[in-house]
């Protein structure tokens, strides 16, 4: 049986009071001994007085603070973080309790303020990126059409030039720049208006192998060795094979570009804590500590020829799959990018993705 603190505190007082009443009854009955009669009456009266004083002390020192504390807890639960108890200045255990309560409310108020500030910042950033997305989509559309015309003219001019003409080298440089601009436009369009992922159970090892094959073809000019450590027991993973291929290819090409001269890129798949893992490690130059927190930001790049959209797009794709990308790096000792993907997507992730698609420009 549960007993509240008031009852527990008053039990000793009630026991003393009961003893005083019993003494009074005995004194009343024992009329044959007047001296004993007076002693018992005085003892009983003293017991009653002591009980009364104890009850008043308990009421002032314990009951009122507990009632106030319960009321302030109700206010805090309802969201009022300005609530403070008035007995925090007492120099006893009850005062310690009051000070701890007030400190807790102060911390909650500071945490709520910080959360609200972060929320407003995130909302502002979301609106900012939505505006940038619209601008990027329109800009990419306006640039790609003239760019296609420029590429066509270059091809026509190239056919009419003699084989010995020095202008052919210039045209080749122009073609490469046109292709570079086109890649930037494609990244902008993908960032601004991404295609919704199509999730199907598929062999993640196969997706990884295809990405490695493409990366090897594009890295033929460099002395980079690829090694794939496949997890043979990895179950099928629900993912968009084209999107994850794009993510892995981006990470692999970044790894190749980080290697000066000869080096190696090791790719490993595994199953850890109910998630499929793809780990990509390179022996390149690594990432500076001051740059590491910013590498997933749009348009942030440490490469002179990069757009700064590849890693940002890769992270968005992985997060759309309900996963995440982690990175560890040390200058001079290479980098390791780890992609975590859930084996199966749940209903919560699907509803979150649906809301995200609605908000995307």
């Amino acid at each position: 049986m549960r007993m509240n603190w008031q009852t527990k505190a008053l039990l000793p007082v009630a026991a003393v009071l009961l003893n005083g009443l019993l003494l009074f009854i005995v004194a009343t009955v024992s009329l044959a001994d007047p001296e004993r009669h007076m002693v018992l009456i005085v003892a009983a009266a003293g017991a009653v007085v002591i009980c009364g004083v104890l009850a008043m002390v308990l009421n002032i020192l314990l009951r009122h603070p507990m009632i106030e504390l319960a009321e302030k807890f109700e206010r805090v639960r309802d969201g009022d973080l300005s609530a403070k108890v008035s007995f925090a200045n007492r120099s006893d255990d009850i005062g310690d309790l009051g000070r701890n309560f007030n400190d807790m409310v102060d911390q909650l108020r500071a945490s709520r303020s910080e959360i609200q500030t972060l929320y407003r910042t995130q909302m502002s950033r979301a609106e900012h990126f939505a505006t940038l997305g619209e601008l990027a989509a329109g800009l990419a559309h306006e640039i790609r059409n003239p760019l296609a015309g420029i590429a066509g003219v270059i091809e026509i001019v190239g056919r009419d030039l003699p084989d010995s003409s020095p202008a052919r080298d210039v045209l080749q440089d122009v073609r490469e720049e046109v292709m570079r601009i086109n890649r930037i436009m494609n990244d902008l369009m993908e960032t601004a208006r991404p295609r919704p992922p199509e999730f199907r159970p598929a062999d993640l090892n196969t997706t990884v192998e295809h990405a490695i094959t493409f990366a090897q073809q594009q890295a033929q000019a460099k002395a980079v060795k690829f090694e794939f450590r496949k997890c043979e027991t990895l179950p099928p993973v629900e993912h968009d094979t084209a999107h994850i291929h794009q993510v892995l290819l981006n990470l692999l090409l970044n790894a190749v570009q980080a290697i000066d001269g000869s080096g190696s890129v090791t790719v490993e798949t595994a199953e850890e804590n109910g998630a499929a893992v793809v780990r990509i490690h390179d022996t390149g130059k690594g990432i500076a500590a001051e740059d590491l927190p910013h590498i997933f930001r749009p348009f942030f790049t440490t490469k002179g020829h990069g757009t700064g959209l590849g890693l940002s797009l890769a992270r968005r794709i992985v997060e759309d799959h309900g996963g995440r990308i982690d990175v560890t790096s040390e200058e001079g000792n290479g980098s390791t990018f780890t992609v975590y993907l859930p084996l199966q997507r749940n209903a919560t992730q699907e509803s979150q993705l649906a809301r995200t698609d609605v908000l995307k420009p």
Side-chain angles (χ1 to χ4, degrees), residues 53 135 192:
V53 171
L135 177 62

Side-chain angles (χ1 to χ4, degrees), residues 103-239:
D103 290 342
M104 179 194 71
V105 174
D106 289 339
Q107 292 176 8
L108 288 174
R109 184 167 58 251
S111 298
R112 184 172 70 177
S113 177
E114 183 178 355
I115 291 172
Q116 290 174 344
T117 301
L118 290 174
Y119 174 77
R120 287 192 295 268
T121 302
Q122 292 298 324
M123 290 300 297
S124 177
R125 290 182 61 188
E127 294 174 359
H128 178 66
F129 280 122
T131 303
L132 283 179
E134 290 288 351
L135 177 62
L139 184 63
H141 179 73
E142 293 297 328
I143 291 177
R144 290 179 73 178
N145 290 337
L147 194 64
I150 293 172
V153 171
I154 291 173
E155 290 299 323
I156 294 173
V157 172
R159 287 198 299 265
D160 293 339
L161 284 175
D163 293 339
S164 59
S165 173
R168 284 189 171 276
D169 293 336
V170 177
L171 284 180
Q172 182 60 32
D173 293 338
V174 174
R175 287 193 190 97
E176 291 178 359
E177 291 303 316
V178 168
M179 292 175 61
R180 178 170 175 267
I181 296 173
N182 191 56
R183 286 195 299 270
I184 294 173
M185 294 300 103
N186 289 337
D187 287 345
L188 282 173
M189 290 293 292
E190 185 65 25
T191 301
R193 293 179 178 174
R195 174 182 66 82
E198 299 177 0
F199 297 100
R200 295 186 182 89
D203 185 359
L204 185 61
N205 285 324
T206 301
T207 305
V208 175
E209 287 176 336
H210 288 168
I212 293 175
T213 300
F214 273 83
Q216 287 175 323
Q217 292 174 356
Q218 298 190 38
Q220 290 179 353
K222 302 191 70 172
V224 177
K225 178 184 177 182
F226 286 83
E227 181 183 359
F228 182 29
R229 301 172 183 172
K230 183 191 305 185
C231 176
E232 300 290 351
T233 60
L234 186 66
V237 180
E238 287 191 54
H239 67 288

Side-chain angles (χ1 to χ4, degrees), residues 1 14 17 24 33 60 70-71 73 78 91 93 111 124 149 155 180 203 211 213 248 253 262 276-277 311 330 336 354:
M1 180 178 178
L17 181 60
F24 182 77
D33 190 352
I60 295 173
E71 292 174 351
F73 265 118
D78 294 337
S91 57
D93 291 342
S111 298
S124 177
E155 290 299 323
R180 178 170 175 267
D203 185 359
T213 300
L248 298 176
L253 293 179
S262 61
V277 178
L311 286 179
E330 183 180 352
T336 301

